[in-house]
Amino acid sequence: MNQKNWVKKDYQAGLSFIANHDEEAASNTILATENDVTILTPSGLPLYGAGFYGIFMLAPIVLFMIIISYFIFIIFSTRSLDIQTQILISAGGLFLVWALGKALKLLTSSRDLFPRKYFSTLGIHGIAAHYSNLHFPGHSRVAIEWDQIDSIRTYSSFFLPGLFAGILKTFIVEVTSKNATVLKIPFHSTDKQAPIISQKILELIKNFSSRK
């Protein structure tokens, strides 16, 4: 089976499994399916697909959050208002931003509007990442066959989608092939749990590659 076929087959198996196990996908980084495919989800990160209706409903909330944030900045930079008035108005603005953030989180929890479509797969033939170019420019959709893996490393970094949700540190398992192709597996966790999750991913990669 050529690379294009097994990557597509593993991805479809992952999509099908996640559609029927949304609660598990929301709380677990590693999901084993019944089709010899293991899914590595970007757990804790707000990475969802979005169709026209999802974007149409999301846009006004994001726009209002930006406008209110700009308004708060203007209030603080206005010298004609006394400190108490600035603090009062700004507190009201921050409350509105918080409330809109809650509405944003509630809206994105709808899987019909925002399905889980970004994840990595480990299959019989290799490992593949299925992300957008906005997530990892140049490393969004990458597949590496097991016998082509050269090195693996784990590190933490800022990740723009995570920053939108107030997540300052995202953990990434990076797989590099013999021809310098880079595949990235992101997830969010506590500092205590991150090494455990990373080690489990490394062990899975070793187990899958040993079958080849």
Side-chain angles (χ1 to χ4, degrees):
M1 184 181 294
N2 63 44
Q3 187 180 91
K4 183 178 180 180
N5 288 339
W6 68 257
V7 170
K8 183 178 180 180
K9 183 179 178 181
D10 289 354
Y11 181 61
Q12 291 301 322
L15 279 178
S16 178
F17 184 85
I18 287 177
N20 296 313
H21 301 81
D22 185 66
E23 290 186 5
E24 291 180 48
S27 58
N28 295 286
T29 304
I30 303 171
L31 299 172
T33 73
E34 300 174 352
N35 300 308
D36 291 323
V37 175
T38 296
I39 304 167
L40 303 178
T41 71
S43 57
L45 297 170
L47 301 184
Y48 309 110
F52 172 78
Y53 291 107
I55 295 174
F56 182 78
M57 296 179 69
L58 195 68
I61 298 177
V62 175
L63 180 61
F64 281 134
M65 291 178 74
I66 294 173
I67 291 174
I68 293 171
S69 298
Y70 178 72
F71 180 73
I72 293 173
F73 173 77
I74 293 297
I75 291 298
F76 268 116
S77 61
T78 301
R79 297 182 179 180
S80 59
L81 297 175
D82 58 72
I83 297 298
Q84 290 183 339
T85 302
Q86 288 180 329
I87 292 175
L88 183 62
I89 295 176
S90 298
L94 289 173
F95 175 77
L96 288 175
V97 171
W98 174 82
L100 288 170
K102 289 291 184 180
L104 187 67
K105 186 176 181 180
L106 182 63
L107 181 61
T108 55
S109 67
S110 171
R111 297 285 76 84
D112 291 331
L113 295 174
F114 300 95
R116 299 184 191 278
K117 58 182 289 188
Y118 300 117
F119 51 85
S120 301
T121 55
L122 308 178
I124 297 174
H125 301 279
I127 180 172
H130 311 275
Y131 289 94
S132 164
N133 282 324
L134 295 176
H135 301 146
F136 297 111
H139 309 290
S140 57
R141 298 185 181 277
V142 179
I144 302 175
E145 296 182 2
W146 294 125
D147 58 0
Q148 294 301 308
I149 292 178
D150 182 55
S151 63
I152 305 172
R153 70 182 182 120
T154 303
Y155 62 94
S156 62
S157 176
F158 75 91
F159 185 44
L160 187 58
L163 292 178
F164 288 135
I167 298 172
L168 302 180
K169 185 196 302 185
T170 296
F171 295 94
I172 296 175
V173 176
E174 185 177 279
V175 182
T176 304
S177 72
K178 294 177 181 178
N179 62 359
T181 299
V182 176
L183 183 150
K184 297 185 178 184
I185 304 168
F187 67 91
H188 174 63
S189 179
T190 63
D191 290 338
K192 183 178 180 180
Q193 288 294 318
I196 298 174
I197 296 173
S198 298
Q199 185 60 36
K200 288 182 178 179
I201 293 174
L202 292 174
E203 290 174 358
L204 278 171
I205 293 174
K206 290 179 181 178
N207 290 337
F208 269 95
S209 60
S210 63
R211 303 179 193 175
K212 186 70 175 179

